[in-house]
Structure formats: structure tokens, C-alpha cells
Amino acid sequence: MTGSRIARPGLDSAAPVTTIRLADLTRTGGITVGDVLNDLPSLRSSYSQANSTQFIGTSGLNFLDLRGLGVTRTLVLVNGRRHITSSEGDFLVDTNTIPTDLIDRVDIVTGGQSAVYGSDAMAGVVNFVLKRNFEGLSLNAQSGISDKGDHGTYRLSGTYGKNFADGRGNIALNLEYNQSNLVTYSDRPELTGAYTGRKQFQLVDSPALDNTIPNRTLLNNVRSFGYDNGGNFIAYNGAGIGACDAASVAAGCLANGYPRVFGFNPNGALYEYNYGTDFRPAGSNNNNGGDGGILNDRGTLQPSLKRYVANLLGHFDVSDAFKPFIEAKFVRVESFNQGTPTFAQGGEQGTVAVTDDEGNVIGRRAAAGGFSRQSIGIPVAFDNAYLQPGDAATIRSLLPAGADFFRLNRNNNDFGTRDEYDRRDTYRIVGGVEGTFNTDWKYDVSVNYGEFRTRSTFFNNRINQNFYNAVDAVRNPAGQIVCRINQTAVTDPNCVPLNVLGDGAPSQAALNYINTNSRRTGKATEFDVTANVVGDSSQLFELPGGPVQFALGGEYRRETASYSYDDLVKSGATFLNAIPDFNPPSFAVKEAYGEINLPLLKNMRFAEELSANAAVRVADYKGSAGTVWTWNAGALYAPVRDIKFRVSYAKAVRAPTLSDLYSSASQNFDLLDDPCDVNFIGTGRSTRAANCAAAGVPAGFINNAARGGSTEFLSGGNPNLDAETSRSWTYGVVFQPSFLPGLAITADYYDIKISNVIAAVGAQTILDACYDAASLDNQFCGLINPRQANGEFAQSALLQSTVNFAALRAKGVDVDVSYNRRVFGEDKLALRFIGTWVRDRTDYPYLDNPTQKERVKGELGDPVYSFNASADYTHGPVTLGYQLRYIGRQSITDWESQHDTNGVPALDPYYADRVYYPSVVYHALRASVDVDKRFTFYGGVDNLTDKKPPYGLLGNGDDAIYDNVGRFMYVGATVKL
């Protein structure tokens, strides 16, 4: 039984266990087990297929996240044993490496289980239990497609097993192939606005204004002034794309005080934008109904996935005391996703000073390259060969006198999208021996080795210097268009001029010069040795409820990890962030544990059963975590046969991973709100304004650079981290009424608190916490580099690092109701309801104020109420099934913004014209026909009503709790011989 090394049925466990059978995992058209499990109310869709493309190198991964406490705090096991990671430096199991057809069941245990299984089981354990003694041949084929004619899925699998030596031995081989096809933004224009403009909550009223008008309104056809596919020129003054210089160049400003915007047609001709409804006065670079960048015309809703799986299971019982066994697997997972293109925005206009070795200005020139900010606007000199003379004169007239160049803001769709291909190979072999001795005591010893290798390719990664060389195109004395560096003498014969004025203008030769395909390789290994003994005291003594049961064991585990990018990426020469090699020392731990179950009473009046259990584990970690102890205890009481009450308490730990400890400081970018910006200075704590003033930020400050583009910062690990700790309580009741056979009801209350949390403090959190603290004398401000003289962020703005801080809290109630019964003679009815009510889900992210709360409950991805319900009815060879999935309403922004929370008034009560994303219900139908004992045909429809993510969400980020494929149909067949 999962949750204990001592075998007991799940309903007789002191810790709550939710069991999902293979039939439950395959009752929809989904072919990835992880996505099916993520639809359970207790799991958060932190790493589903849809949102796996959020980060570099994670496309196609499926990790599990119990209670939304983080994927690193959910321990995933196979047959109760560790499994090799699919993320170098972390201990995260990709469920795509689990053989679907060999799954017997999946047990999900809530609460800390470190005393039983070791580190990482803070939120709980998910254990995949595989079949044993498979006999015969089973084949399965399935295919599906959306009602839009895309996202085709295919599944082929076969399992062959054979008993031999009079049933003492068994060997089974399983082969699987899965494929699901790519779905891009342009495949769902009604969802993404790929051709017409985005649907989103648009800032329409400045938050700086003290009024009761909602700051944001849900609008369709939103576009961005900041940049578009053909490139644009904004007559800004250099401080940021939203500021114009009315004093010296009045012609560059509109009547609303914001700069004029000009685009380039595909033929390279300049035109002034249709401004539509201009939202720049409200603090946004967007418009409604005008020209500009859509920005949702490229991107991925669902990556493509190919999965090749081979598993071998075998055992041979030499005797009851000596039963060797083996588990071996190879899994290859390939994933591809369409990324967004490179882009360019902002930067200084006009001219750049040229100095001699002593720093004296000896001239001025157009800036053509060498920028550390990859996304800065493209400098186009006025003698650029592709710039029409009249357009050059127009632009020059809108810049200060003496300007030599202008900045082109551009979304480089025609350079090719930054697509990503990932190939992950997983090898794992478990060899061991188990048996029985001392009549009924059992032992097992196993050696588990796993190896993970990954190779990623990042397409169309821009080589920055080549790009700036190519874009600076001029005519040579012969009138030919060449790169400026080759105008008088050929400096780089490979340089091909690049036309960036107008969508679709670059030549393929120029693209070949500026782009490269970058690569990353990685490797992780795991070596794990375990030994366990399980027995009881029946030969010596018994308690009134029976013999005392016990388990003892030990474990040694060693993990290694490394990855590296190619030399160009490491040097920072490409658009991809500069990423150094990761090659940390190994992770190692030695552990010993003991577990006991005391059956105190049994079959007595008002004590049908009373038992208590406890477990303890000591672990000695290499490195800063050192030696830690964990333990748990629980009790089960059944006053009568029909009802049981259970309680458990656990102290658990999570040791820092290699990534937590040793990740090298690497370059990063994000869109950050400056707390001292006039738009945000009034939306924080009462101390924010005073702290901004103390930091030297002037009143009414506008951080145009932060508003207009991404901000650079560094992120890295911390070798001085301690282990996380947690404590968890669960209280529950199990009701199996004898007067209604087939009904089982469990209701369990959980309360999990994680302390000393290991987390990378987000860049936005660092900024907010610095200026919202009592004073600037706090650890968060220490992570922020001094601002520039004009008040804008330094380059890099701050250091984002992992630290041990504060706590996470989760409380709620899980309900599991099942009813299985024969009706109307031999017909079968199977009903099940699995639901969760979240009472509390709170983060405490403030290092210097650990009691300050941030509510997560009810925010996007964390609904208060959610449940799944299913019904299957079997009449003869036909089974009809229905499944319902309910997701409760969720806040459209941080809970604290629009709600009074923890005694603090709403920070931004007029954030938008709506408060919640509405509740959503998904329906699915399935039917199967058993033609005979060997052949079964089935088919179904998922998301029957074609429900889309609400209010402009795309379902590929924190909103991956919603389906973004739409109505999906599938058919399949199984053969058992």
C-alpha cells in the first residue's frame, strides 16, 4: 500500500489514499497520463503539455504538483522506488516515462511521507504501481482529432507476457508509441486573435487617477504600438517609447502628448498608424481598432509530442526465500514547439558619441551593434540603402537636429520563429531479490540505476553582431547594396545586407547569416540502493487486535547532473540569454527508517478496529542540509464495521536540489512593473511612496524603459541553503455502509505547512518587497542594483536567487465517493465523485516579514471548488460512460488587488470591470463494445460543448487548468489474445 511499507488496503490506511485505476486514466482521448492526472482536483496543472513551453528546454514535460505547492514537493515513485529525473539538477519525474499499459493503479497520498519514502514528499506521494505476472498478448490502437481538423493523436501499444516454469517465472515486454500534433496560435484565431488582434483585459484608465472607473476592460482586437511585424518608428525622445519631446520637436507629438507612430508597408514605404483608441495616456502601449502588432500570430498552444517506450519486467521464484526480479526500460520523448520571433524595441535615438582612448568626444555615429540588451530597438542609419529618401526626411524631421539614425521597433516574424526541439532519452534498470523468511517475514533488496540524456535545438537564434552588421546596409562606390563594414574594404565576406523595413523583406541569404541553430545537451544519473524487511510479531506475541507489524530499511542514493549550451550561447553572442555551464558536485544521501503498526483492538463492542502507526527516518545529506530526522504517526478507529475515523501527523523534509544549490548566475529578462512608477506607487503598501522617495526616485516618475520592454536581471543558485521542513495533519472518515453494498465514501481534511521554503524569489517580488517594507534596510533591497541617475533600473536590475524563506500553507477537504453495483440483473453501474474544497492556500513570500500573507486560494489555477464526476453503465457487451469536470471561479488578478484580505483593504479595487473568471464545466462521453472476449471497440468525445478558456486566456500558462484544444473526438480498439 502506498503511504506505508506495511501492506494494508487503502481504505484501511491512516493516511488518505486516492487510487486511480488504468481504466480511469484511459477513459478520455488524452494520450498523456500526466495531463489526465492533472485534471484531478488535488493536482495543479503546473507542467501539463499545454504550458510546458513556458520555459527554455521544458517543452513536452509532464510533472505533477499536489496542492499547488510546487512540483519539487511532490514525490513520484514507481513501485515504491525512486525514478530517474527528467530535469537535470532537480528530482522530477516526467510521467511520459511511465508505461501506460503496464499501470495497474496510481496511488495519491496526501501529506508528508518523508519518514516512509525520503526527501521531497512534502505535499504527498504519487506512486505508479505496475502490473505483475502479465500473461498473454494485449494490443491497443487509438486515434483522435479535434473538430477543427487538427491536433491529431495516435497511440499504438502492445504488451506480451509469459509465465514459465510452472508459474514460478514471468517475463513481460511492453512497447508503446504515442504521437500528438502541434497546435499553434494561428490554428485557433478565434481564441488567440492571431489575425485580428488580442482579446484581453486592457488598461483603459490610468491607475494613477483617483477615481472609481475600472482601470481595465475586456476588449477584442487589441494591438500594440510598441512594435509590429513590418517594423515601426516612434517619435520618442529616447527616454522610452511612450515619451515625446514636445519642447524641441513638437511635430513628433500628438495632441494627447504621446509620440506619433509610423509603420513600414511590405514594400518598405512609411505610413502613419491608424491610432484607433489610443491607450497610452492610461499607461499602456496598446490600442483598440488601430494598427500595430498583434503579437499572438506566432506561438504554441499544444506542442507536438512523440513518445517511444520499451519496458521489460521479469521475475523467477527460485524459492519462497529467493525471488530475483528485474525492471528495465528505455523511453524516448521528442517534443517540438513553435516559439515567438526575436524582437526589438526602445533605446536611444539620434547619435552616439565616439570617444578616443582618453574619453574625449571625437565625433558621433549611428549605433550599429554591440548591445548587451538583445531586445533593444534596431538602429537604422539615415543613409541606409533600403530607406526611401522621402521617408528618411520625414523621420529626420521628427527627431532632434543632428540625428544620424532612428530606432526601428520590430517583431521579427520574417526572421523565422525561435522554435524548440527537445529529445529526451531515459534509461532505467532495477535489479533485485525478494523473498519470505521466518515463515511470514518479507525482505527485498534492489539496485536501481537510471540515466537521462537530453538534446535540445533552438532554431533561428539570432547572432547579435552579425545582425547589426547586416542591418547597417549602405551602397558601395559601385552602387551595390553591401554591409557598411564591407563598404570600402571587405571585412566580413559572409555578411549579407538585411532589409528590415517592411514585413517579408529579408532575403534568405541574409537570414542564413544572422541566424543559427543553437544546441543544449544535458545528462543526469541516479544510483539508488534500498533494502527493506517487513514482518510481524505473530510468532512471539499479539496485541488484542493482532500481531504488531513492522518495517525496517535503509537506502543510499547518489545523483549527478550537468548541462551545457554551445559556445555562442555561453558567450552571450546570441539573442538567447547567456547561459553558463551547469556541472555541480554530486548529490548523495544515506538513510535508515523504521515503521510500526500497532493493532490495539479488534472485533470488540464499539471497537471494531483500533490501531496506531508510526514511522521515523534519519537521513545524512552531503552538503549544507546535513543530518535530518523525519517522523509520522497516525491512528485508525472503527467503532463499528461501517465507519472508520483516521488521523495522521507527519514531519517531512525536502533537501535542496543541485539546481537550488549550484545554478550559475545567468542572464534573464522579464516584463517588470516598477513599484516607484506613478502607475504603481499607489497600489502597494503604505510605505511604498516614502521608500521610493528615500531611494531618490522623484515624485511622478515614469519608468518608460520598464513600461516599454523587458528588464534584464541575473538569476542563480545558493550553496548555503538548508532543508525545507513541513508538518501536515490529516483527519478523515471512511464510510462503507453494510446496508448499501458497493458504496464507499471518504472525506479527509488536510492541513500542510511548509517552512524554511526553498524558492527563487521572483524579480517582481523582490522589487515589491523592497519598497513595501518598513524601510529600505531589508534583504530584498540588497538584491537590487543602484538605479541610474534618471531613476530607471540599472543593467542588470537585480539578482534573483534561491533562499530559505517563510512558509507555504494549504488546507482543505477531499471527498471521494464511489458506488459499484450490479443492477437489473447482470447490468453494472459504476459512479464516482472526486472533489476538493480549498479552505486555505497561502504563501508567505516576505523574507523580512514572515507573517505577511499572500493569498493564493481562488487565484488563477487554484480554484476554491473543483470536482470530477463519472458514470458508467454496462449492459451486456456495451458500456456507456459520461464524465463531468467542474472548475470553480477564479480571480482575474492577484486576490489582494480586488478584495479586502487579511485585514488589508483591496490594493487596487478598480483593477478591472470584472472580478472573476467564471466557473467552467467540461463534459465528455465514451462508449465501448466488447465484440467478444478478445476484441473491444471504443470511442468518445471530450469537451463536448467546445468550451474555450474564458476572457482571452490561452490555456498555456498558469491558466492551463483550462482546455485549449476544444471539442475532441477519438476511436480505438483493443485486442487481448
Side-chain angles (χ1 to χ4, degrees):
M1 183 203 74
T2 305
S4 172
R5 300 285 183 180
I6 301 170
R8 301 185 69 185
L11 294 178
D12 291 337
S13 167
V17 181
T18 299
T19 297
I20 308 297
R21 298 287 178 179
L22 178 61
D24 301 312
L25 296 172
T26 55
R27 64 178 299 124
T28 69
I31 62 171
T32 54
V33 169
D35 278 358
V36 178
L37 288 172
N38 280 339
D39 285 344
L40 292 173
S42 60
L43 287 157
R44 192 180 189 277
S45 297
S46 299
Y47 271 91
S48 65
Q49 284 298 295
N51 68 2
S52 66
T53 62
Q54 293 183 98
F55 308 106
I56 296 172
T58 62
S59 177
L61 289 172
N62 276 94
F63 297 141
L64 300 179
D65 183 1
L66 274 169
R67 312 297 172 195
L69 292 171
V71 293
T72 59
R73 300 179 185 91
T74 298
L75 178 60
V76 176
L77 305 172
V78 176
N79 288 337
R81 299 185 184 92
R82 295 269 180 170
H83 191 282
I84 180 66
T85 184
S86 294
S87 176
E88 309 95 321
D90 295 304
F91 310 137
L92 302 174
V93 178
D94 182 7
T95 56
N96 290 312
T97 63
I98 310 298
T100 305
D101 278 5
L102 289 180
I103 295 173
D104 180 57
R105 69 180 195 271
V106 181
D107 291 337
I108 302 170
V109 187
T110 291
Q113 295 293 322
S114 291
V116 177
Y117 294 111
S119 179
D120 305 334
M122 308 286 276
V125 173
V126 179
N127 184 25
F128 290 83
V129 181
L130 304 184
K131 297 173 182 176
R132 290 174 60 96
N133 296 318
F134 190 92
E135 177 80 19
L137 175 65
S138 175
L139 303 173
N140 174 259
Q142 178 180 310
S143 180
I145 194 168
S146 79
D147 68 351
K148 313 297 188 300
D150 56 21
H151 194 52
T153 64
Y154 313 91
R155 181 172 182 268
L156 295 171
S157 65
T159 305
Y160 176 75
K162 177 69 175 176
N163 290 326
F164 59 91
D166 297 324
R168 291 189 298 147
N170 179 270
I171 190 166
L173 175 66
N174 167 257
L175 301 174
E176 295 184 29
Y177 171 76
N178 290 359
Q179 178 180 329
S180 60
N181 292 339
L182 178 73
V183 181
T184 67
Y185 284 11
S186 61
D187 294 325
R188 292 289 187 279
E190 74 284 359
L191 178 65
T192 63
Y195 303 111
T196 57
R198 306 183 301 278
K199 181 178 182 178
Q200 66 182 48
F201 283 101
Q202 172 58 46
L203 188 66
V204 297
D205 187 68
S206 174
L209 299 175
D210 185 15
N211 58 40
T212 59
I213 299 173
N215 296 330
R216 292 166 182 83
T217 298
L218 186 65
L219 296 177
N220 291 311
N221 304 327
V222 175
R223 294 177 177 245
S224 296
F225 285 129
Y227 46 89
D228 67 16
N229 297 346
N232 70 23
F233 161 70
I234 304 176
Y236 62 86
N237 63 9
I241 64 171
C244 63
D245 191 356
S248 58
V249 191
C253 298
L254 295 171
N256 64 6
Y258 285 83
R260 295 168 67 186
V261 183
F262 296 79
F264 287 88
N265 286 320
N267 64 2
L270 191 71
Y271 70 97
E272 187 162 5
Y273 268 21
N274 169 14
Y275 294 94
T277 302
D278 189 345
F279 296 121
R280 288 181 295 178
S284 167
N285 281 315
N286 296 334
N287 71 71
N288 187 216
D291 293 325
I294 293 173
L295 308 185
N296 271 2
D297 43 3
R298 299 292 187 274
T300 293
L301 293 173
Q302 292 276 343
S304 72
L305 184 75
K306 292 182 179 180
R307 180 172 170 263
Y308 310 83
V309 184
N311 273 264
L312 178 69
L313 303 177
H315 70 87
F316 183 74
D317 301 347
V318 177
S319 67
D320 288 344
F322 189 73
K323 302 177 181 179
F325 63 88
I326 187 172
E327 301 172 13
K329 73 162 51 174
F330 168 75
V331 181
R332 171 167 290 178
V333 177
E334 298 176 346
S335 182
F336 175 85
N337 76 85
Q338 181 188 85
T340 55
T342 60
F343 56 92
Q345 187 182 73
E348 73 281 9
Q349 298 270 30
T351 58
V352 173
V354 178
T355 60
D356 59 20
D357 293 340
E358 285 73 39
N360 301 311
V361 176
I362 57 176
R364 306 188 71 81
R365 63 170 174 82
F371 296 100
S372 60
R373 284 187 63 190
Q374 294 95 320
S375 57
I376 201 167
I378 303 170
V380 179
F382 287 119
D383 62 349
N384 188 285
Y386 297 112
L387 181 62
Q388 298 178 19
D391 295 340
T394 298
I395 295 173
R396 195 190 296 268
S397 71
L398 301 175
L399 292 177
D404 297 319
F405 72 96
F406 69 94
R407 291 286 179 184
L408 186 74
N409 308 289
R410 200 173 193 275
N411 193 43
N412 300 316
N413 268 358
D414 51 5
F415 289 10
T417 49
R418 292 176 293 150
D419 303 337
E420 179 181 324
Y421 167 80
D422 296 287
R423 190 187 78 187
R424 304 182 180 93
D425 291 340
T426 299
Y427 309 83
R428 183 176 184 259
I429 185 167
V430 180
V433 62
E434 59 187 5
T436 303
F437 69 102
N438 193 29
T439 305
D440 58 359
W441 291 17
K442 297 180 179 180
Y443 78 94
D444 70 85
V445 178
S446 66
V447 178
N448 175 353
Y449 177 77
E451 187 170 305
F452 170 73
R453 293 179 178 269
T454 182
R455 178 179 293 273
S456 300
T457 302
F458 307 98
F459 297 92
N460 297 317
N461 187 20
R462 195 183 76 191
I463 304 172
N464 291 328
Q465 192 56 58
N466 285 8
F467 169 70
Y468 287 115
N469 290 343
V471 78
D472 195 16
V474 295
R475 293 189 181 274
N476 65 11
Q480 300 168 316
I481 299 177
V482 297
C483 302
R484 188 184 299 272
I485 59 173
N486 295 331
Q487 186 176 27
T488 56
V490 177
T491 302
D492 181 358
N494 296 315
C495 186
V496 179
L498 178 69
N499 184 1
V500 292
L501 303 179
D503 189 15
S507 69
Q508 187 58 51
L511 296 181
N512 293 341
Y513 174 68
I514 69 168
N515 286 337
T516 186
N517 294 336
S518 298
R519 288 177 171 80
R520 175 192 185 275
T521 58
K523 179 181 178 182
T525 66
E526 178 180 73
F527 178 73
D528 191 28
V529 181
T530 60
N532 302 285
V533 175
V534 179
D536 62 46
S537 66
S538 57
Q539 299 178 49
L540 301 175
F541 68 93
E542 293 189 10
L543 298 177
V548 175
Q549 299 169 297
F550 69 88
L552 298 170
E555 182 173 5
Y556 170 77
R557 179 164 57 103
R558 183 177 183 271
E559 310 241 10
T560 67
S562 64
Y563 63 72
S564 64
Y565 288 79
D566 61 45
D567 291 340
L568 267 178
V569 173
K570 285 187 285 190
S571 71
T574 70
F575 193 86
L576 193 64
N577 300 343
I579 305 174
D581 288 349
F582 177 63
N583 192 18
S586 63
F587 173 97
V589 58
K590 294 174 285 186
E591 302 176 81
Y593 82 94
E595 186 179 356
I596 191 169
N597 183 62
L598 304 172
L600 302 175
L601 298 173
K602 188 176 183 180
N603 299 328
M604 298 179 65
R605 183 176 175 83
F606 302 120
E608 182 68 25
E609 180 182 355
L610 176 63
S611 62
N613 64 78
V616 65
R617 178 179 290 252
V618 60
D620 181 20
Y621 291 95
K622 173 185 175 182
S624 61
T627 300
V628 297
W629 290 82
T630 63
W631 60 274
N632 62 31
L636 184 74
Y637 172 54
V640 295
R641 182 176 301 177
D642 293 6
I643 191 166
K644 300 182 180 74
F645 299 95
R646 56 190 181 188
V647 61
S648 66
Y649 177 82
K651 294 281 288 185
V653 298
R654 183 178 83 85
T657 67
L658 295 174
S659 293
D660 293 331
L661 295 165
Y662 303 114
S663 290
S664 302
S666 59
Q667 188 182 37
N668 217 325
F669 295 87
D670 202 355
L671 295 172
L672 301 177
D673 295 333
D674 184 352
C676 298
D677 186 293
V678 66
N679 265 1
F680 307 106
I681 200 166
T683 62
R685 305 291 175 182
S686 59
T687 55
R688 179 175 289 191
N691 282 333
C692 288
V697 180
F701 171 68
I702 296 175
N703 193 330
N704 284 298
R707 287 188 185 186
S710 57
T711 298
E712 179 186 346
F713 58 91
L714 298 177
S715 57
N718 181 354
N720 299 312
L721 294 170
D722 295 325
E724 292 180 347
T725 61
S726 78
R727 67 110 184 98
S728 60
W729 282 98
T730 61
Y731 312 87
V733 60
V734 180
F735 183 49
Q736 294 175 284
S738 56
F739 58 83
L740 193 56
L743 177 65
I745 302 174
T746 67
D748 292 280
Y749 178 81
Y750 63 87
D751 181 351
I752 304 169
K753 182 178 181 180
I754 302 175
S755 303
N756 213 31
V757 170
I758 298 170
V761 183
Q764 189 65 59
T765 298
I766 290 171
L767 289 169
D768 292 345
C770 165
Y771 296 103
D772 283 350
S775 71
L776 295 177
D777 185 17
N778 63 76
Q779 297 188 47
F780 288 103
C781 287
L783 297 173
I784 300 173
N785 292 321
R787 291 174 178 259
Q788 300 179 55
N790 63 2
E792 294 183 357
F793 295 134
Q795 183 185 328
S796 301
L798 53 87
L799 174 64
Q800 176 182 280
S801 185
T802 49
V803 296
N804 290 105
F805 73 98
L808 308 174
R809 193 74 179 268
K811 300 179 186 178
V813 175
D814 291 333
V815 177
D816 189 342
V817 181
S818 62
Y819 180 68
N820 295 275
R821 184 72 170 166
R822 290 189 181 274
V823 296
F824 307 119
E826 293 302 312
D827 290 2
K828 298 177 183 178
L829 177 65
L831 305 174
R832 190 164 190 188
F833 173 94
I834 300 175
T836 291
W837 167 60
V838 178
R839 180 187 174 191
D840 181 21
R841 177 64 190 88
T842 301
D843 288 352
Y844 297 79
Y846 297 100
L847 190 65
D848 295 289
N849 186 6
T851 62
Q852 184 175 326
K853 302 177 180 180
E854 290 288 341
R855 173 168 164 160
V856 178
K857 170 187 170 182
E859 293 186 346
L860 186 58
D862 291 274
V864 179
Y865 298 99
S866 57
F867 66 81
N868 295 356
S870 63
D872 293 303
Y873 187 84
T874 302
H875 176 72
V878 178
T879 298
L880 300 177
Y882 166 75
Q883 187 172 30
L884 180 149
R885 180 180 174 224
Y886 172 83
I887 302 170
R889 68 180 188 178
Q890 296 155 80
S891 175
I892 64 169
T893 186
D894 294 343
W895 188 268
E896 289 83 357
S897 292
Q898 293 178 286
H899 301 84
D900 297 348
T901 311
N902 302 318
V904 178
L907 301 178
D908 194 2
Y910 305 107
Y911 176 86
D913 60 352
R914 308 179 196 206
V915 178
Y916 298 104
Y917 295 111
S919 59
V920 171
V921 178
Y922 295 105
H923 306 272
L925 299 177
R926 180 183 174 95
S928 66
V929 179
D930 296 331
V931 178
D932 56 28
K933 293 183 178 180
R934 296 179 300 169
F935 296 94
T936 299
F937 294 95
Y938 63 88
V941 181
D942 298 337
N943 194 354
L944 182 65
T945 59
D946 196 24
K947 183 74 70 174
K948 297 176 177 60
Y951 296 169
L953 295 177
L954 301 181
N956 61 352
D958 290 339
D959 55 342
I961 192 171
Y962 300 112
D963 173 73
N964 64 8
V965 172
R967 186 181 295 112
F968 186 82
M969 301 155 288
Y970 63 95
V971 294
T974 61
V975 180
K976 295 182 179 179
L977 303 172

